[in-house]
Amino acid sequence: MRSSTAPAPLDRFHTSMPFDRFDTEVLGKYWIPLSVGDTETATELRHRLGVDFEDHARGAGDFLYLPVVVHHRDGGLGFPAGAPDALTAEIIVFALGQEFLVTLQPSEPFAPFDEAIALMGRKPLLTASSRGVMYAVLWALNQHCERIVDAEGLRLASVRAELDAAADNRGPAGARLRSASASLNGIEADLAKVRETQRYLSRAAGHLRGQVGVHAPELDAPMAGLIADIESVTEHAHLEHDRVRYTLESLRAHLDVDRDRTVKVLTTVTAALLTPTLLAALYGLRAGLPDWEYGVLIALPAAVLTVVAVSVYVARRGGPR
């Protein structure tokens, strides 16, 4: 099933990847990146190596297939200058064999894998087997998720500072609070996506460690560190998610206070204007009131006194805060 020489997909990989940080031929001996739309190479890999991504659910053949949902951000982390770019969801399928690692990915090159290539340039041990290459790729994806969590933590701190400033200022702040609510919902959604990616990474790392223990014991210690790093990033994302939930509850309390303040103002205005409005309506309709010559002169001071009395009462109670 496997040929003794590198197949044509490897030759294509050597010529298409513009990396000069280390010898790409060394890397290409074990790693074959496959774009989703490259049906020609997929057919060749199926015939030469037995890699079949279309039928991988059955688990047949000599390859272990591990899908990973990756949420990544190609346009940079986007903080603090403006809103960050939206996370893009992609499905990466790892086909891990004894000799090769084949990755089915949306494009080639795939930006989140650049850091894996740099890591393999620094640590030649990782380029000595397909499992070492997969270790580097999982490590790079975990690093990318960690940076996203860090950036969302900075966004959360900025939103919390805005909420504290709104709480210190008297007066309505509904527009700012609603803007903060939209930002918090976005942060929560991004953290949920990162946690999903971390679950897939944890599963893939667990399967890889089982392979390493049998076929590449020299990677056992690095794999233990990688699994610990994945768990650490997962816990960090969980902590930031809890902070977002707590901040959302605090925001709801701010919105309730702002709404109560508005209701109190409207109630005060209604109470102050109720008596003058009623007197004016009754005189206008002549509904049961005596047609006194000086009736208006009596009703007007009564209305003014009512407004003043309501205003004094509200002021003594602390005002419509």
Side-chain angles (χ1 to χ4, degrees), residues 279-298:
L279 290 174
L282 292 177
Y283 268 99
L285 295 175
R286 299 182 181 275
L289 291 180
D291 192 10
W292 293 340
E293 181 178 356
Y294 301 102
V296 175
L297 297 179
I298 297 176

Side-chain angles (χ1 to χ4, degrees), residues 127-155:
T127 64
S129 67
S130 60
R131 295 166 185 84
V133 173
M134 185 169 176
Y135 165 90
V137 173
L138 294 180
W139 177 87
L141 293 177
N142 185 63
Q143 291 294 110
H144 189 79
C145 287
E146 183 177 20
R147 286 194 294 272
I148 293 176
V149 174
D150 290 340
E152 298 303 330
L154 292 176
R155 289 180 63 197

